[in-house]
DNA sequence: AAGGATTACAACCGCAGAGGA
DNA sequence: TTCCTCTGCGGTTGTAATCCT
C-alpha cells in the first residue's frame, strides 16, 4: 500500500504520545489500526499498540527492576524459558519487552564474565556449587554467542532444541546459569517461592480492560468527541522513561 | 574533558493464531 | 473452506545514557 511509504518510524514525540493517550482513552485498547487512523498520526496500528503497551500505559512501572523482580524473572525464566509475555504477567507493571531486554543484557553480561573466568582458570569449576559440567556451559555459551555475532539464521528455539551437551538441554544450561547467579535460590527456597506463586497467580489487572469501551463508534461520528476528554498522561519525565 | 565501550531502553520486523466475513 | 484483518509474541536492531580509561 502506498500509505506505508509515508508511515512515520522511530522515536515518538511528546505530541504524538499525548494524541495516542487521548484516543486510547476514547476508544479503548483495541482496533489499533482504527486508532492509528483517527489520531492522524502517520503511525501503523502496530506501532501505536506497542507504544501504548510498552510505554504509555498508566499502570506501568518505569525505571530499573528491583532485586525481587530480578529474582522472579530468573525463576520464571528457568521455568518457562523465553515466554516473555507470560513472565510479564507475573510482574505487574512490567512489560514483556522490558523483561526481555533485562534478560538479554543480564545474561549476556554474566555469560561473558563466565567465559572470561573459565579462560583464566579452567579448573575453577570444581569450586562451583553448580551441578552442571562447566565445560558444557562454556561450549553452549560460545555457540550461542557465535550465533549472535555471526548473524546465523538458526532460530533461538531451534538452537535450544538442537543443542544438548553432555546430557543437558539448553534450557537446563540457562537455568544453571541463572541459578548460579542467585545462590540463595537453593532447592527449598525455590520450592517455597513456587508454592507462593501458584497461590498468587492472577491475570494482570493492567490489561484487564472491559468490553464496554467505546471503540465501536464509526468514522463519521469521530468528530463528535473532544480529543482532550479524559486525557491522562502517565507520570514520567518525557524522554527519560522515568 | 574527550572519546570509546558498555548498558539500558525504545522501537521495528516477521510470523503465527484467532476470529469474522 | 478460504481469505483477510487484527492482535500478540519473540527476536532483533538502533540509539540514548552512562561508565570507564
Amino acid at each position: 500500500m502506498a500509505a506505508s511509504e509515508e508511515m512515520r518510524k522511530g522515536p515518538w514525540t511528546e505530541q504524538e504520545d499525548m494524541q495516542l493517550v487521548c484516543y486510547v482513552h476514547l476508544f479503548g485498547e483495541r482496533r489499533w489500526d482504527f486508532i492509528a487512523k483517527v489520531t492522524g498520526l502517520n503511525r501503523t496500528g502496530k506501532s501505536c499498540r506497542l507504544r501504548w503497551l510498552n510505554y504509555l500505559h498508566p499502570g506501568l512501572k518505569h525505571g530499573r527492576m528491583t532485586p525481587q523482580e530480578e529474582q522472579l524473572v530468573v525463576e520464571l525464566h528457568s521455568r518457562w524459558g523465553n515466554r516473555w509475555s507470560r513472565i510479564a504477567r507475573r510482574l505487574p507493571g512490567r512489560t514483556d519487552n522490558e523483561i526481555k531486554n533485562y534478560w538479554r543484557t543480564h545474561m549476556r553480561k554474566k555469560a561473558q564474565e563466565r567465559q572470561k573466568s573459565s579462560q583464566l582458570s579452567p579448573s575453577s569449576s570444581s569450586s562451583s556449587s553448580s551441578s552442571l559440567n562447566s565445560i558444557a556451559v562454556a561450549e553452549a555459551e560460545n555457540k550461542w554467542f557465535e550465533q549472535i555475532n555471526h548473524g546465523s539464521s538458526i532460530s533461538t528455539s531451534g538452537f535450544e532444541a538442537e543443542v544438548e551437551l553432555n546430557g543437558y538441554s539448553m534450557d537446563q544450561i540457562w537455568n544453571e546459569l541463572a541459578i548460579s547467579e542467585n545462590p540463595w535460590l537453593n532447592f527449598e527456597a525455590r520450592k517455597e517461592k513456587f508454592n507462593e506463586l501458584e497461590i498468587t497467580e492472577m491475570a494482570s489487572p493492567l490489561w484487564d480492560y472491559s468490553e464496554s469501551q467505546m471503540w465501536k463508534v464509526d468514522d463519521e461520528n469521530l468528530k463528535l468527541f473532544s480529543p482532550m476528554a479524559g486525557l491522562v498522561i502517565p507520570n514520567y519525565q518525557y524522554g527519560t522513561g522515568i
Side-chain angles (χ1 to χ4, degrees), chain A residues 178-227:
Chain A
I179 292 162
S180 69
E181 294 304 323
N182 293 268
W184 66 274
L185 288 172
N186 59 33
F187 179 74
E188 285 306 316
R190 298 175 77 200
K191 220 168 72 179
E192 206 176 305
K193 277 185 77 67
F194 276 137
N195 289 341
E196 288 169 21
L197 285 168
E198 291 302 341
I199 292 164
T200 58
E201 180 166 18
M202 58 182 179
S204 170
L206 253 184
W207 323 117
D208 198 14
Y209 265 56
S210 81
E211 288 298 312
S212 63
Q213 299 292 344
M214 298 182 287
W215 53 266
K216 287 177 183 172
V217 177
D218 60 49
D219 292 21
E220 295 305 312
N221 291 325
L222 281 177
K223 35 182 105 62
L224 297 176
F225 291 89
S226 158

Side-chain angles (χ1 to χ4, degrees), chain A residues 103-152:
Chain A
W103 183 262
R104 285 180 60 82
T105 304
H106 179 81
M107 293 311 289
R108 185 168 48 196
K109 201 170 75 185
K110 296 304 172 191
Q112 279 168 350
E113 280 169 8
R114 276 175 155 262
Q115 202 172 355
K116 259 188 207 167
S117 66
S118 74
Q119 279 169 356
L120 287 172
S121 54
S123 61
S124 64
S125 63
S126 59
S127 63
S128 165
S129 62
S130 168
S131 61
L132 180 62
N133 182 335
S134 65
I135 296 169
V137 175
E139 280 176 15
E141 286 172 3
N142 289 341
K143 274 193 101 166
W144 173 250
F145 289 108
E146 265 174 37
Q147 187 198 338
I148 290 170
N149 292 334
H150 296 116
S152 162

